[in-house]
Amino acid sequence: MDRMLYTAMSGAKHTMDQQSVVSNNLSNVTTAGFRAQLQAARSVPVQGEALLATRTSAVTTTPGSDFSQGPVEFTGRTLDIAMQDNAWMAVLADDGTETYTRRGDLQVDSDGVLLSVGRPVVGEGGPIAIPQGAQVSIGADGTISAIPEGVGPEALVEVGRIKLVTPEAGELTRGDDGLFRAPLNDEDMPGVLPANEDGRIVSGALEGSNVSAVDAMVSMIDVARRYDMQMKVLSTADENAQRANGILSLQG
């Protein structure tokens, strides 16, 4: 009887975790550069002093991400960029470490610092500063040029270059803040990937989320039905236990 409980209980816990992942994906279906989260489960023996070979439970494995390309939409905005192929843009996280993102709807704050969702974009020498009121253009290699306010095109100057990296497959891991990080270094700190001079972007365009709203809705319905089924298994196990106790009490 308890084998049913172990299976249904651990399965229901995994299903709730999976529903959270699906809900997060669905809520980011319109987020530029978002990468869908993936989740899987595996069966493991139940540990403890009362270990039995017939008792297993389901646990969530290391979550992954879908790194497939999202749709590219041309916006015409000079500060919108879409990374091509496997290029990623370097930005500073809240703790000051270098992280990577595909979100390219950039902004310039009151101090002239180029930002991606409030996080400084990393250039060749650190965060990139842009003159206030300047006309900005971004080249295919990430080079940022600006024409200061009040002067003509002949005053065009280069103000920085966005750091683009091209990580190997499976090299990046997602953090709780939605940013991706390189493998840890010898000091157990997030590593820093080298800039790739061949990395390319498309200016005036944004890469959309690679989450399919239809697939996410279907997954949400499937996960909800699976959870209901596991709850019914728990209910059935409880009913069977009560009936067995009733039969034993009559015989006693």
Side-chain angles (χ1 to χ4, degrees):
M1 185 70 66
D2 59 339
R3 279 178 284 185
M4 294 175 59
L5 296 176
Y6 276 118
T7 302
M9 175 188 63
S10 60
K13 173 62 170 60
H14 164 68
T15 301
M16 292 178 64
D17 294 340
Q18 187 176 6
Q19 188 70 288
S20 298
V21 171
V22 174
S23 299
N24 182 62
N25 287 342
L26 188 59
S27 65
N28 286 281
V29 72
T30 59
T31 301
F34 181 80
R35 290 293 178 265
Q37 288 183 271
L38 304 176
Q39 189 188 48
R42 60 187 176 90
S43 60
V44 297
V46 175
Q47 303 298 320
E49 296 180 358
L51 177 63
L52 293 174
T54 58
R55 306 307 190 257
T56 60
S57 62
V59 297
T60 303
T61 59
T62 302
S65 300
D66 179 7
F67 290 98
S68 61
Q69 179 84 27
V72 176
E73 178 183 356
F74 288 90
T75 64
R77 181 173 176 266
T78 56
L79 288 180
D80 284 346
I81 60 173
M83 271 58 71
Q84 290 186 318
D85 301 324
N86 63 331
W88 290 71
M89 178 176 64
V91 298
L92 294 180
D94 295 337
D95 59 0
T97 58
E98 184 172 301
T99 58
Y100 307 98
T101 182
R102 298 273 295 194
R103 183 163 183 171
D105 49 343
L106 307 181
Q107 311 89 28
V108 178
D109 68 4
S110 58
D111 296 324
V113 179
L114 187 65
L115 305 176
S116 172
V117 198
R119 299 181 177 92
V121 176
V122 177
E124 296 174 333
I128 300 173
I130 296 177
Q132 289 290 346
Q135 299 181 35
V136 179
S137 60
I138 304 177
D141 62 350
T143 299
I144 302 175
S145 301
I147 301 176
E149 187 177 13
V151 298
E154 69 279 357
L156 181 70
V157 293
E158 182 179 321
V159 297
R161 183 178 180 182
I162 297 173
K163 180 179 179 180
L164 300 174
V165 302
T166 52
E168 299 293 333
E171 189 173 11
L172 296 181
T173 55
R174 184 197 300 266
D176 294 336
D177 53 5
L179 299 173
F180 289 78
R181 290 166 172 79
L184 299 178
N185 55 26
D186 296 337
E187 299 176 354
D188 289 333
M189 295 292 292
V192 176
L193 298 179
N196 188 341
E197 301 295 329
D198 296 327
R200 290 294 180 266
I201 64 173
V202 178
S203 182
L206 282 178
E207 179 189 4
S209 170
N210 66 353
V211 176
S212 169
V214 175
D215 291 344
M217 288 297 297
V218 172
S219 297
M220 182 173 289
I221 295 172
D222 175 67
V223 171
R225 290 179 175 176
R226 195 184 316 148
Y227 182 81
D228 289 341
M229 179 182 66
Q230 289 153 348
M231 290 297 100
K232 289 181 180 179
V233 171
L234 290 175
S235 177
T236 299
D238 180 60
E239 292 176 359
N240 291 343
Q242 292 183 7
R243 291 173 183 172
N245 291 335
I247 294 174
L248 291 175
S249 63
L250 289 176
Q251 293 178 350

